[in-house]
Amino acid sequence: MTFQPTEEQSAIIQAARGSSDLRIIARADCAKTTTLTLIAPQLGLDEDPPTSVLAVAFNVKIRD
């Protein structure tokens, strides 16, 4: 990413480094998907093979 994470995103990234369970609750247009992209390396998604992660989406647009 070419931008600086917000204070909230930085806190989530830090929490992802030290937790096996993490829940992010935020309103629409609060950059939840971007935040998941930022924490993906912390979760091992850039490894080969990648770590298993469950992300739940509640609408078709986000799912796709």
Side-chain angles (χ1 to χ4, degrees):
M1 296 281 157
T2 59
F3 63 90
Q4 283 294 108
T6 65
E7 194 173 309
E8 292 86 357
Q9 288 171 320
S10 295
I12 292 167
I13 293 166
Q14 187 65 31
R17 289 184 181 132
S19 176
S20 62
D21 296 319
L22 184 63
R23 182 178 3 176
I24 302 169
I25 300 173
R27 295 184 184 272
D29 296 323
C30 288
K32 293 178 295 296
T33 303
T34 300
T35 303
L36 287 172
T37 302
L38 291 170
I39 66 173
Q42 308 304 321
L43 301 175
L45 296 178
D46 58 349
E47 297 173 2
D48 189 23
T51 303
S52 295
V53 172
L54 173 65
V56 179
F58 292 101
N59 67 46
V60 174
K61 182 179 176 186
I62 295 297
R63 181 199 68 202
D64 294 342

